[in-house]
Amino acid sequence: MMEKEKQKAGNRMVVVRHTTLERLSHYANIVFLTALLITGFIIYLGIPYLSYRDAYAIHIIAAAAFVAINWIVVPYSSIINGRLAEYWLWPSDIRRLAKILSGFFSGGEYPRYTIYDEQGRRFRNRLHPVTKLLIYSHYIALFIVSFTGLVLYSTTLTVLDTNISGVVLKVLDFIAPTLSLSGLGLARLLHLMAAYWFIVEIIVHVGMVQLDPRKFIHLKSMFLTGKEDLMQDPTAEIVNTKDE
């Protein structure tokens, strides 16, 4: 599904930057990741703000929702909206990242990374190159936290007559002795490391990328309207396939 809503009048060009499903997924990710981190550290550190039983129950529910959103809803939304290619790190993203780093020290011009194809009525790229790197690291951490979470939840979790958590535990048991740990001990360590990475990701994503004044129009789109005026976006470049 391409962007169906575009208005161009005078010096305005309003397009849909974030679909409703993308925005709802983003809201849900914020809520469930926050719940996961809070309850996870309550369980790990024994903080007495919630009983272990209540914290554990909230943690499991939030984990199931967070995993479903990231493994099912987000990829589904990207595919049906024809935006999957935007998430790949292309050579152009590497060049933009190099210009960003170079400009940070030299004061050079900030590269435009919001690329909109007027003829095709679609974005060729919406994401900051650092955001793309964060997405890759996010899914690596998500993979780790998902499978270690299965083991920590139950060592006998069976799906279609296959002990999934048992298979994961065997892999961990094979690796763990090199670190002088048991398989379960390694699962806990990796689970904790992934949790800390999510915190780092939030700091970088929100503090260093999203709070860039050039991106305020994108924040408004994500959290409120879903739309943006490309003529008012300092990160935007409008291209036309007819000219290529």
Side-chain angles (χ1 to χ4, degrees):
M1 183 188 300
M2 304 298 179
E3 282 71 25
K4 293 182 178 180
E5 189 165 347
K6 184 182 74 169
Q7 301 170 341
K8 189 173 182 181
N11 61 345
R12 300 189 73 233
M13 187 174 181
V14 179
V15 299
V16 175
R17 185 180 183 94
H18 298 103
T19 66
T20 300
L21 185 56
E22 285 177 320
R23 285 156 50 221
L24 291 175
S25 299
H26 200 262
Y27 301 152
N29 261 338
I30 293 171
V31 171
F32 291 119
L33 180 56
T34 300
L36 276 172
L37 291 173
I38 292 174
T39 56
F41 282 107
I42 286 175
I43 293 168
Y44 180 71
L45 299 174
I47 301 171
Y49 293 126
L50 282 174
S51 69
Y52 177 89
R53 182 177 178 178
D54 290 342
Y56 187 77
I58 295 170
H59 194 77
I60 295 301
I61 294 170
F66 186 68
V67 167
I69 291 165
N70 284 274
W71 286 123
I72 299 173
V73 178
V74 172
Y76 170 78
S77 175
S78 301
I79 292 170
I80 65 169
N81 287 294
R83 290 176 166 176
L84 193 59
E86 291 183 43
Y87 292 89
W88 295 113
L89 190 70
W90 301 102
S92 56
D93 294 303
I94 302 297
R95 291 193 292 270
R96 290 184 192 111
L97 183 57
K99 287 183 179 179
I100 290 169
L101 295 175
S102 174
F104 179 79
F105 296 102
S106 65
E109 182 180 357
Y110 202 87
R112 294 176 181 263
Y113 61 86
T114 297
I115 312 300
Y116 186 81
D117 181 357
E118 184 178 12
Q119 176 66 19
R121 293 191 174 187
R122 66 184 181 89
F123 283 96
R124 291 190 179 182
N125 190 74
R126 293 176 300 162
L127 300 176
H128 193 287
V130 172
T131 300
K132 291 191 178 186
L133 293 175
L134 287 175
I135 289 173
Y136 295 156
S137 70
H138 174 86
Y139 273 93
I140 291 172
L142 184 63
F143 178 84
I144 292 171
V145 83
S146 297
F147 283 94
T148 57
L150 291 177
V151 173
L152 296 175
Y153 175 72
S154 171
T155 58
T156 58
L157 185 62
T158 301
V159 178
L160 299 176
D161 295 325
T162 301
N163 184 357
I164 301 298
S165 54
V167 172
V168 176
L169 188 57
K170 283 183 179 180
V171 175
L172 294 173
D173 282 334
F174 178 77
I175 300 170
T178 62
L179 300 172
S180 300
L181 293 170
S182 66
L184 275 175
L186 180 57
R188 291 189 187 95
L189 177 62
L190 291 174
H191 205 76
L192 183 63
M193 290 174 62
Y196 277 119
W197 178 252
F198 285 135
I199 294 173
V200 171
E201 178 189 325
I202 291 169
I203 293 171
V204 175
H205 180 58
V206 177
M208 296 178 63
V209 178
Q210 295 298 342
L211 291 185
D212 184 330
R214 287 172 287 255
K215 292 181 66 64
F216 284 170
I217 192 171
H218 304 163
L219 289 175
K220 181 180 178 181
S221 170
M222 173 60 80
F223 287 101
L224 298 176
T225 65
K227 305 173 186 177
E228 73 158 306
D229 183 355
L230 290 174
M231 297 299 182
Q232 303 300 317
D233 184 353
T235 75
E237 178 182 350
I238 301 171
V239 298
N240 196 318
T241 52
K242 283 185 176 180
D243 299 331
E244 299 179 0

